[in-house]
Amino acid sequence: MKLVRYGDMGAEKPGMIDSDGTLRDLSAHVSDITGDMLSDASLAALGALDPASLPVVAGSPRIGACVGNIGKFLCIGLNYSDHAAETGADIPKHPILFFKANSAIVGPNDDVVMPRGSTHTDWEVELGVVIGTKAKYVTKENALDHVAGYCVVNDVSERHFQTQLTGQWTKGKSCDTFGPTGPWLVTRDEVEDVQNLSMSLDVNGKRMQTGNTNTMIFTVAEIIEHLSGLMTLHPGDVITTGTPPGVGMGIKPAPVYLKKGDVMSLTIEGLGTQTQKVDEDA
């Protein structure tokens, strides 16, 4: 099942993508796609609906972030062995954790706006994991049972802010619009093997990132086990799980960063595609 939120920012409605790719309205059944309706029972009730009985959404409305009222936006850094190699970083012994401010969250096709003074804004295609049921001290053997589904995330990063402004990575990760999420939430039953999903990112039509979740250092299950031992994971929390090689800061002989007018296009196998145009704050 592919769940989606559509409409103006702040006034999104819940929807479902049927097997033909048609957007259908779910407003008669749920008020929004948020943590309180991501339990297995709630998702099963939505899955039992006949998509043909749902109203077709006319036109081409804006698509919002696939989860509303996201709780925690947790991010794992340096979690692909081939990305760690391109940056010259050591393989971490434990998952590296940072947070992205919820004010960074936008729809999958909304503009990415570089903040004032930005000269090192970079791209990162990532697998997003959406928690469906409360997780505390879970093991990797049952960790995925707590997942509602998966989505595409662009972990946009301002590298100068991230590494040179004294402090933690969050400074370069939390700028407004730096968290495009979606286009849809694909429920976990539709993802046969989350550790074998191809992923890519293009800038202006040129392939920059090519990867697969099979090169993760810590699997999705291991990440959930680790994080749930530190804090309770609640329904509606989102975890981004790292990026494969091909980011701008890793390009040799000189890094390449985003500029106004650039267009990013991100895809993860079975999870859809995002496209963002880059703008800059006045």
Side-chain angles (χ1 to χ4, degrees):
M1 185 167 52
K2 294 180 175 67
L3 300 175
V4 66
R5 301 171 67 246
Y6 68 94
D8 294 339
M9 187 175 292
E12 291 92 347
K13 297 180 179 180
M16 175 190 295
I17 305 296
D18 69 17
S19 59
D20 294 325
T22 300
L23 173 58
R24 294 180 177 271
D25 182 56
L26 277 173
S27 298
H29 302 275
V30 291
S31 60
D32 200 353
I33 308 298
T34 56
D36 59 4
M37 56 74 54
L38 294 179
S39 68
D40 289 349
S42 295
L43 292 177
L46 291 180
L49 297 173
D50 177 8
S53 70
L54 302 172
V56 172
V57 177
S60 301
R62 169 188 172 271
I63 301 299
C66 59
V67 180
N69 297 326
I70 290 173
K72 296 185 287 294
F73 204 117
L74 303 153
C75 307
I76 305 300
L78 289 175
N79 192 38
Y80 282 69
S81 55
D82 36 9
H83 172 55
E86 78 170 339
T87 62
D90 293 334
I91 299 297
K93 295 180 180 179
H94 308 283
I96 295 173
L97 173 65
F98 61 93
F99 287 78
K100 189 179 283 282
N102 286 28
S103 54
I105 299 167
V106 291
N109 304 315
D110 292 339
D111 287 353
V112 165
V113 181
M114 298 185 297
R116 292 179 182 178
S118 171
T119 56
H120 293 70
T121 297
D122 205 348
W123 54 83
E124 293 191 12
V125 59
E126 303 207 4
L127 170 71
V129 179
V130 180
I131 297 299
T133 57
K134 179 179 174 181
K136 180 69 170 177
Y137 298 127
V138 303
T139 66
K140 62 183 180 182
E141 287 75 21
N142 66 5
L144 297 186
D145 295 340
H146 296 269
V147 173
Y150 303 96
C151 62
V152 184
V153 173
N154 190 351
D155 177 21
V156 185
S157 308
E158 215 299 341
R159 302 300 188 186
H160 179 78
F161 293 8
Q162 177 184 349
T163 62
Q164 302 299 317
L165 293 190
T166 307
Q168 299 181 352
W169 290 4
T170 298
K171 288 184 177 181
K173 301 284 190 172
S174 289
C175 304
D176 294 349
T177 74
F178 273 25
T181 302
W184 42 70
L185 172 64
V186 179
T187 52
R188 73 171 188 268
D189 59 297
E190 289 202 10
V191 179
E192 183 176 349
D193 183 0
V194 73
Q195 297 305 152
N196 189 27
L197 300 177
S198 60
M199 53 205 308
S200 63
L201 182 146
D202 297 349
V203 178
N204 300 328
K206 180 180 179 180
R207 180 60 44 88
M208 306 303 292
Q209 287 187 273
T210 301
N212 191 292
T213 57
N214 61 21
T215 68
M216 280 186 183
I217 297 166
F218 303 102
T219 66
V220 172
E222 290 169 338
I223 290 168
I224 293 172
E225 178 184 61
H226 181 75
L227 294 180
S228 74
L230 304 173
M231 67 194 79
T232 302
L233 301 177
H234 292 100
D237 287 350
V238 174
I239 306 167
T240 64
T241 53
T243 197
V247 298
M249 69 177 296
I251 294 175
K252 303 294 190 295
V256 175
Y257 295 112
L258 294 166
K259 61 185 184 301
K260 182 177 180 179
D262 285 346
V263 176
M264 295 177 283
S265 181
L266 302 68
T267 298
I268 298 181
E269 179 183 354
L271 304 185
T273 298
Q274 303 183 348
T275 300
Q276 300 108 28
K277 186 175 181 180
V278 178
D279 202 348
E280 57 187 10
D281 255 347

